[in-house]
Every structure is written in C-alpha cells, then in structure tokens.
C-alpha cells in the first residue's frame, strides 16, 4: 500500500513539473512577441479629432472637428479617394478646446469616405476617425430647373402679380430670386420663398421685364447654394373690356323671369335651367327678394335636393382671353358648386366638371378666367349638387353676371 502511494506521489510530481515547464515556455513566447512589437518602445497614441462632421458642397466639403484633451497634437492628416488624396493641417494647441474648420476643395462629385488621423511631434498617430461626405457638382446641377410661372400681369388697378408654379421639394429647392425695376427706375432684388405661390411685386414699373432664377440646397448640411440660369420675362399690362351685353342676356342686376310662383320662385328668362333646379313645384332658378330678381340655387327647408343642377347660356365667342365675374350677395357653405365654361350646347354634370370643361372654378371664388384659341360655341354658367333637410339647406343667390374680354398690353 505504501509503495503504491509513493508511486502515485512521484507521478503527480512529474506531471506538475511538466506543466510548470510548459507555462514557462509559453510565457517566454509571449514575452518574445511583446518585445518584437515594442522593440522601438511602447505604443503611444495621440488624441483623435473629436465631434467630426462633414458638410457637403460644390466640388468641396467643410470638415468640422474638435481637439480636446491631448496637448501633444501637432498636425492632422485627412485622406479620401481611397487614400489617393490627402491634406496635412498643422495644429497649434492652446489650453482650451480647439476647433478645426477646414474647406477641402477640388473633390470629385459623389460620395466620399474620409479617414482622419492626428500626429504628435514624435510621429505617433491617433486611432483613425472615419466619416462619409457628399460632394455635388455638374451632375446635380444638370437636374435643376427654374421655377415655372403660371401667369404674370399688372391688373387694371396697377397691381402686378406673379402666380408661381409648383416644384418638387425633394430637389432641394427653397427660393426664387427676382430682379425688377420699380416706378422710381431703381433696380430691386427680392427673394421669394418656395412656399409662396402668389407674389405681388412691390411698386413694379408697368410693362417692364423681370429676371429670375431658382435656388437649391441639395441637403441640409450643404454649405453651397446652387442656382439655375437667369430667365427674363415681360410682365404685360392687363385691361378688361365689358362684353356682357354683346354675348349674354338677362345678366342682372335684377334679372327677370318668364313665369313666377307665389311671387317668389320663378323661371329665368334667357337662361337654360335644368329640371332639378326647378324644385319649387316646377319653378326655380329665379328668386324674387325684396322685389329684386336673383339667379338662385337652393335645396332644403322644404325644397328637394338639387342633383346636377345647371343654369347656363350657350353663346358664340371669338378667340381671346375672357373673365367671368359674378356678384353673389348671399350663399352658404356645402355641396359642390362651380362656375364653368364648356364647348358645345351644354355644361357638364358636376362629376365631369374637371375633365369636360374648358375652364372651371368654385362658385365661391366668384371668378373664372378662360382662353379660347379659336372662335367657338360655348356654354357658360353654373353647376351644383346641393342637399338639405326640413330645417337646414344650401343656397347661392347671384345678383349679376359680367363677361369681360381680357387684353394684355
């Protein structure tokens, strides 16, 4: 038994010595590896550039960063274009936090990856800082278009108005610059935000020319504004000639009727009135109020609903620009109500107003502009869907209608 114990202890001793020898050899290998990598001294890193941000620009970027704690930093090196291009920036540290703002110019358009190191006098460098920036140039510029103008004129009151077209905001558009001459022959420059659709030109000299271009920022970090080329546009003087009596009949004020019921609801002279408008026991389209005649559309308070109600005249007009204006003394909200002009001997049903009209507008606007490129037979008037109950209703009372021919000088 004792011999067996001695033999076991001896084996354990050999195992222990073997493990100790392996540990010593391993430690020596690690020490040799450490010495290999530190034979020039211990590794020392300088403090990296902090809070780095890249602002995009036109063939350039703006690099922003902070030097924080490390006073040993003497230079900063920035690489891009897969390290083919670089720039070295000398750094003079103070006792405070120092700021780096650096424009890097002549960069190829597109996405660029930047790698940034700082160095001390001994050549020790920081760990790298990686940032991505966007550079814009001619490719982006070629996608930009000037903001369109839907209409521009000086009206009969001397007010000059531009109606600007819409634009896709994804392009980065944010404003339009305009140059014009005022009534004192002084050249003025104004910047019009993209969300302004109708702009009145202050003190504009009549029958003058404007020059305008559109401004873009490709992204929220861009340091450079992109511009379209200037375009010129003549702003004509607007005048209107009343041609109502030449083309329309019974246009008011105080329109007349061909027949009347209970001295209130009647049928209009000279206007074509659809059956649904004649909802007062076969009368309607005309209403006498305080002994004055009105063109009338009404539903509710005992009158049936009006579906595809129409009141219009069919006339022949020469080519030209026209404006229909109405005086509507009394009306309320609700329903679908339109001014419309359409080619032919009738106006469209309400559902087809937008697709089948030469021009249309909401009745509440009291105004309709339209152009004819050639002489045409047209129908011009009112279309509506109105609903009501015994206690509520919808209505519009039109005192007069005026048709103007529009000229630009």
């Amino acid at each position: 038994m004792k011999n067996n114990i001695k033999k076991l202890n001896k084996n354990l001793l050999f195992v222990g010595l073997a493990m100790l020898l392996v540990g010593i050899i391993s430690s020596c290998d690690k020490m040799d590896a450490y010495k290999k990598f530190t034979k020039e001294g211990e590794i020392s890193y300088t403090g990296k550039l902090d809070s780095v941000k890249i602002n995009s620009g036109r063939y350039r970027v703006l690099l922003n960063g902070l030097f924080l704690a490390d006073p040993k930093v003497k230079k900063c090196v920035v690489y891009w274009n897969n390290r083919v291009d670089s720039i070295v920036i000398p750094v003079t540290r103070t006792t405070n936090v120092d700021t780096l703002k650096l424009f890097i110019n002549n960069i190829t358009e597109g996405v660029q990856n930047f790698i940034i190191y700082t160095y001390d006098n001994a050549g020790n460098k920081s760990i790298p800082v990686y940032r991505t920036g966007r550079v814009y140039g001619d490719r982006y510029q070629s996608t930009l278009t000037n903001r369109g103008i839907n209409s521009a004129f000086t009206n009969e009151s001397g007010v000059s108005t531009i109606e600007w077209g819409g634009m896709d905001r994804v392009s980065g558009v944010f404003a339009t610059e305009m140059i014009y001459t005022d009534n004192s022959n002084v050249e003025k420059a104004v910047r019009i935000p993209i969300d302004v659709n109708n702009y009145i030109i202050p003190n504009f000299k009549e029958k003058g020319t404007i020059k305008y271009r559109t401004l873009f920022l490709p992204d929220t970090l861009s340091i450079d504004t992109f511009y379209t080329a200037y375009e010129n546009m003549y702003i004509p003087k607007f005048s209107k000639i009343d041609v109502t009596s030449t083309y329309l009949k019974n246009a008011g004020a105080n329109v007349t009727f061909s027949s009347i019921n209970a001295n209130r609801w009647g049928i209009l002279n000279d206007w074509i009135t659809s059956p649904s408008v004649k909802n007062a026991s076969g009368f309607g389209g005309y209403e006498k109020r305080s002994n004055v005649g009105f063109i009338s559309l009404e539903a509710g308070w005992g009158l049936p609903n009006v579906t595809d109600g129409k009141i219009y005249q069919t006339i022949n007009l020469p080519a030209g620009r026209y404006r229909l204006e109405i005086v509507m003394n009394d009306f309320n909200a609700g329903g679908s109500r339109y001014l419309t002009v359409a080619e032919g001997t009738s106006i469209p049903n309400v559902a087809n107003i937008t697709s089948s009209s030469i021009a249309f507008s909401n009745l509440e606007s009291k105004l309709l502009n339209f152009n004819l490129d050639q002489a045409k037979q047209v129908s011009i008037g009112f279309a509506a869907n109105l609903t009501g109950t015994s206690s509520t209703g919808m209505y519009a009372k039109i005192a007069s209608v005026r048709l103007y021919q529009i000229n630009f000088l």
Side-chain angles (χ1 to χ4, degrees):
M1 181 69 175
K2 288 182 179 179
N3 289 335
N4 288 338
I5 291 173
K6 288 180 179 179
K7 187 175 182 179
L8 177 61
N9 288 339
K10 188 179 292 184
N11 290 338
L12 289 173
L13 178 61
F14 288 147
V15 171
L17 289 171
M19 291 180 66
L20 178 60
L21 181 61
V22 169
I24 291 171
I25 293 171
S26 175
S27 296
C28 290
D29 288 343
K30 290 181 180 178
M31 183 63 71
D32 289 342
Y34 176 78
K35 288 180 178 179
K36 176 182 177 181
F37 287 105
T38 59
K39 61 183 180 179
E40 302 297 332
E42 292 187 2
I43 298 174
S44 177
Y45 291 103
T46 59
K48 65 182 178 63
L49 188 65
D50 208 339
S51 303
V52 177
K53 182 174 68 174
I54 305 287
N55 291 86
S56 63
R58 184 181 180 91
Y59 292 116
R60 64 176 184 166
V61 297
L62 173 61
L63 171 65
N64 301 270
L66 299 176
F67 297 106
L68 298 180
D70 193 342
K72 303 188 302 298
V73 173
K74 295 300 180 183
K75 70 177 179 179
C76 181
V77 181
V78 182
Y79 296 93
W80 68 95
N81 191 21
N82 294 321
R83 293 181 177 258
V84 172
D85 298 310
S86 63
I87 187 170
V88 179
I89 310 104
V91 177
T92 301
R93 288 302 318 275
T94 68
T95 56
N96 302 315
V97 174
D98 296 311
T99 300
L100 173 65
K101 285 187 177 293
L102 174 70
F103 288 99
I104 306 176
N105 301 313
N106 301 318
I107 304 180
T108 302
E109 183 173 8
V111 176
Q112 292 285 352
N113 297 310
F114 296 88
I115 308 171
I116 306 155
Y117 293 95
T118 58
Y119 291 82
D120 62 17
N121 271 341
N124 298 309
K125 66 181 179 180
S126 67
I127 61 174
V129 176
Y130 298 96
R131 288 293 184 273
T132 298
R134 185 92 190 185
V135 181
Y136 298 91
D138 289 345
R139 287 202 308 272
Y140 172 73
Q141 179 74 52
S142 68
T143 67
L144 307 181
T145 58
N146 213 356
R147 188 177 188 182
I149 293 177
N150 294 334
S151 67
F153 56 83
T154 302
N155 68 15
E156 65 275 22
S157 300
V159 177
S160 301
T161 304
I162 296 177
E163 180 188 341
W164 296 99
M167 293 195 75
D168 185 355
R169 305 295 182 90
V170 174
S171 65
V173 61
F174 70 93
T176 299
E177 284 183 349
M178 184 176 70
I179 298 172
Y180 70 95
T181 301
D182 68 11
N183 282 325
S184 300
N185 288 319
V186 176
E187 189 173 82
K188 300 285 187 178
V190 293
R191 179 171 290 190
I192 304 160
I194 188 61
D195 57 356
V196 173
N197 296 318
N198 292 287
Y199 181 76
I200 296 176
I201 309 174
N203 198 29
F204 180 68
K205 185 176 182 179
E206 290 184 1
K207 295 188 284 186
T209 298
I210 64 168
K211 185 167 68 171
Y212 64 100
R213 65 179 180 177
T214 306
L215 285 60
F216 299 80
L217 282 174
D219 61 52
T220 57
L221 295 178
S222 178
I223 55 174
D224 290 321
T225 299
F226 287 73
Y227 304 84
T228 60
Y230 275 110
E231 291 186 37
N232 297 316
M233 185 174 187
Y234 172 72
I235 308 297
K237 171 70 176 181
F238 166 105
S239 68
K240 62 182 185 181
I241 302 169
D242 192 335
V243 294
T244 308
S245 61
T246 304
Y247 299 107
L248 296 177
K249 298 177 181 179
N250 193 26
N254 194 17
V255 295
T256 61
F257 60 87
S258 59
S259 59
I260 193 166
N261 177 25
N263 204 36
R264 181 180 180 186
W265 304 111
I267 296 176
L268 285 161
N269 276 322
D270 304 305
W271 293 85
I272 299 169
T273 305
S274 66
S276 64
V277 177
K278 301 173 185 177
N279 56 357
S281 301
F283 292 86
Y286 170 93
E287 183 182 4
K288 183 179 284 188
R289 311 180 108 202
S290 301
N291 213 35
V292 175
F294 288 82
I295 299 172
S296 174
L297 294 158
E298 184 168 324
W301 300 292
L303 294 177
N305 293 339
V306 174
T307 301
D308 285 323
K310 303 175 185 179
I311 301 174
Y312 64 94
Q313 293 187 33
T314 299
I315 59 178
N316 292 303
L317 285 177
R321 297 183 179 94
Y322 295 92
R323 172 178 288 182
L324 186 71
E325 295 182 8
I326 65 172
V327 175
M328 188 162 59
N329 292 1
D330 196 12
F331 63 98
N332 67 350
S336 301
R337 300 177 289 194
Y338 296 99
L339 289 167
T340 180
V341 58
E343 188 169 0
T345 58
S346 182
I347 59 176
N349 291 336
V350 169
N352 300 324
I353 286 289
T354 58
S355 60
S356 300
S357 298
I358 293 173
F360 69 93
S361 65
N362 290 321
L363 189 64
E364 287 82 355
S365 71
K366 306 178 186 178
L367 181 71
L368 175 63
N369 293 309
F370 62 96
N371 297 333
L372 298 179
D373 54 4
Q374 60 185 19
K376 288 183 179 180
Q377 183 183 55
V378 298
S379 294
I380 190 165
F382 318 97
N385 286 336
L386 305 175
T387 60
T389 66
S390 60
S391 59
T392 62
M394 298 177 185
Y395 62 93
K397 310 299 176 181
I398 300 156
S400 65
V401 180
R402 288 289 175 268
L403 181 64
Y404 296 95
Q405 188 165 17
I406 304 302
N407 295 315
F408 292 104
L409 306 175

